Amino acid sequence: MTVTDVHVPTLTTPAAALAVAGDLAGEIAGGAVQRELDGVWPVDALRAVSGSGLLSILVPTRFGGPDLPRATAVEVLRILSRADSAVGQLLLSHYVLSAAIRGLGDADPAPRLYADILAGAQLGNASVERGTRTSAERLTTVTRRSTGDWVLRGTKYYATGALGASWIAVAARIPGTEPTHGATVFVRPEDPGVRLDLERWSSFGQRGTASGEVVLDDVVVADAFVVDEGPDPDPVTADPSVLGAFDQALHAAVDIGIARAALEEGADFVRTKSRPWFEAQVDSAADEPHVVRRFGELTARLYALEALLAQGADLVDAALAEPELTRPAAARASLTVAAAKALAQEFAVEIASGVLELTGASGTGLEYALDRHWRNVRVHSLHDPARWKYVHLGNHTLRGTLPPRRGVLL
């Protein structure tokens, strides 16, 4: 999606951003079922978001942006994910990268990227690849040439956000350095040597994210768009960061947005279409006491998820508001968000599955696409394992151990 000359508004307050997100969500949700049935990617929805001003809410004020709280971006993503979880996940990396590049200060490529974001540009992701021992390892290389520019080579998978992106952030390694010596390289989809094969995405859920393959065949990149990150920082002694907590809060927002959509659509189906079980001796399935109680249980789980997510997102902003970011403040944010993400992997999946039990067999009709919520949340919740979040939470409770800083995973 290329940046155009169309005026894009700047949303200067959280209330304005959330209002726009709510209005857009109504429009996006209207076509979500049909897109699912037809296998259509949400390109029009992404275009609408691009022109709304929502993509620039984290741009720092010195670059002309509103610099809204991280919690606002988390809530925006939850609202959009409730409407269409593919749209939410497609924009997740945009907000993470928008926050990450502010660490460059005024150095390249921050000024160019922020200017494009203010004009409606979406940032996409091409970080993970197949064929490595772990998902953190990189085979893709970026090599400096004698001319001062670089050449990028490799193949990426799980490139969520490449669909609709004006810029794609590619994780690469620099040959001749330590294996953990990484670089982030910004390329455009139309650059020579960049090929998007997004139809290779074959998961049973989140189909609309088109999280397929990005092939990088000798892509020449100007020096300004290669960020040399150096070796990976030590996870214990590294300077504190809440970028990982912010990333995980956004992931949790996708799952929790799906859970609310599943609960609300399931309740509507039960009220309007499900037949009561004959033993209940009631006129509506919504009057069956067991159905009412189960909806209450699922609602309580959703309330807990939403509250914990909001608390974690607020702690991210609170840590950033301190005169100096400290390890304890970063740890509080990371652990709270980790709890929200881990519990979402359980409760959001339970909610999306549980409503199908309550709608009855008629709720499995393809024309309603209620199953999409379970498939989508089941797939997205596997982004990173909850079991390790519980380990860090347990270590903190038992020994006061602060969680390690590991990129954007905790």
Side-chain angles (χ1 to χ4, degrees), residues 175-187:
T177 64
E178 298 179 36
T180 63
H181 191 124
T184 298
V185 185
F186 289 90
V187 299

Side-chain angles (χ1 to χ4, degrees), residues 101-166:
I101 59 178
R102 70 188 299 143
L104 299 174
D106 295 332
D108 290 332
R112 169 64 187 277
L113 295 176
Y114 280 136
D116 282 359
I117 291 171
L118 287 167
Q122 172 190 323
L123 305 183
N125 151 73
S127 299
V128 181
E129 52 202 80
R130 290 173 164 176
T132 59
R133 186 179 63 86
T134 70
S135 62
E137 296 175 31
R138 303 168 178 176
L139 298 177
T140 298
T141 60
V142 61
T143 307
R144 184 187 286 275
R145 304 196 302 182
S146 60
T147 51
D149 52 15
W150 300 71
V151 175
L152 181 65
R153 299 183 181 94
T155 300
K156 294 292 186 178
Y157 200 72
Y158 302 113
T160 312
L163 178 67
S166 298

Side-chain angles (χ1 to χ4, degrees), residues 33-399:
V33 170
Q34 199 59 49
R35 285 192 294 273
E36 175 72 19
L37 296 177
D38 296 342
V40 174
W41 296 338
V43 175
D44 289 341
L46 293 175
R47 188 172 292 111
V49 175
S50 172
S52 71
L54 286 175
L55 296 183
S56 65
I57 59 176
L58 297 184
V59 174
T61 54
R62 69 177 182 276
F63 292 105
D67 200 11
L68 297 186
R70 303 292 195 278
T72 303
V74 171
E75 181 62 4
V76 164
L77 211 71
R78 189 193 67 82
I79 291 170
L80 295 178
S81 297
R82 176 183 176 186
D84 187 328
S85 58
V87 174
Q89 191 182 353
L90 280 163
L91 297 176
L92 191 155
S93 58
H94 171 86
Y95 288 117
V96 175
L97 291 165
S98 295
I101 59 178
R102 70 188 299 143
L104 299 174
D106 295 332
D108 290 332
R112 169 64 187 277
L113 295 176
Y114 280 136
D116 282 359
I117 291 171
L118 287 167
Q122 172 190 323
L123 305 183
N125 151 73
S127 299
V128 181
E129 52 202 80
R130 290 173 164 176
T132 59
R133 186 179 63 86
T134 70
S135 62
E137 296 175 31
R138 303 168 178 176
L139 298 177
T140 298
T141 60
V142 61
T143 307
R144 184 187 286 275
R145 304 196 302 182
S146 60
T147 51
D149 52 15
W150 300 71
V151 175
L152 181 65
R153 299 183 181 94
T155 300
K156 294 292 186 178
Y157 200 72
Y158 302 113
T160 312
L163 178 67
S166 298
W167 290 94
I168 300 174
V170 180
R173 63 181 180 86
I174 299 175
T177 64
E178 298 179 36
T180 63
H181 191 124
T184 298
V185 185
F186 289 90
V187 299
R188 291 167 296 190
E190 65 269 21
D191 285 343
V194 177
R195 188 177 83 248
L196 274 58
D197 190 0
L198 304 181
E199 292 185 357
R200 288 179 63 87
W201 180 237
S202 61
S203 174
F204 65 71
Q206 290 297 82
R207 295 169 177 169
T209 62
S211 301
E213 195 170 77
V214 175
V215 179
L216 306 151
D217 187 7
D218 290 342
V219 183
V220 177
V221 185
D223 185 62
F225 296 99
V226 177
V227 179
D228 187 343
E229 301 169 353
D232 284 349
D234 184 275
V236 176
T237 62
D239 291 338
S241 171
V242 290
L243 182 61
F246 177 53
D247 170 90
Q248 289 293 281
L250 292 167
H251 276 289
V254 174
D255 293 336
I256 295 168
I258 297 171
R260 177 158 286 280
L263 188 69
E264 292 178 345
E265 288 186 31
D268 182 68
F269 193 98
V270 168
R271 281 193 305 268
T272 60
K273 295 183 177 65
S274 295
R275 294 182 295 180
W277 187 242
F278 68 93
E279 291 180 283
Q281 297 184 354
V282 294
D283 294 328
S284 169
D287 294 329
E288 281 194 39
H290 300 302
V291 171
V292 173
R293 182 182 187 279
R294 182 58 173 154
F295 265 109
E297 291 176 341
L298 298 179
T299 300
R301 286 160 170 73
L302 179 61
Y303 285 176
L305 290 177
E306 290 176 340
L308 192 55
L309 175 63
Q311 181 185 13
D314 285 342
L315 285 172
V316 170
D317 286 317
L320 291 170
E322 293 187 352
E324 182 178 352
L325 180 60
T326 64
R327 279 295 300 277
R332 282 193 295 272
S334 294
L335 290 168
T336 304
V337 170
K341 178 67 169 63
L343 287 175
Q345 187 165 319
E346 299 178 34
F347 289 166
V349 173
E350 179 187 356
I351 291 167
S353 175
V355 296
L356 292 173
E357 171 194 345
L358 299 171
T359 62
S362 59
T364 65
L366 290 178
E367 65 270 28
Y368 305 118
L370 286 176
D371 65 305
R372 77 187 190 282
H373 297 306
W374 179 85
R375 289 186 289 101
N376 289 339
V377 76
R378 180 66 283 178
V379 167
H380 181 262
S381 65
L382 299 175
H383 178 269
D384 49 272
R387 60 187 180 271
W388 278 98
K389 289 175 172 52
Y390 287 131
V391 167
H392 296 308
L393 286 162
N395 277 329
H396 183 262
T397 298
L398 289 169
R399 288 175 279 277

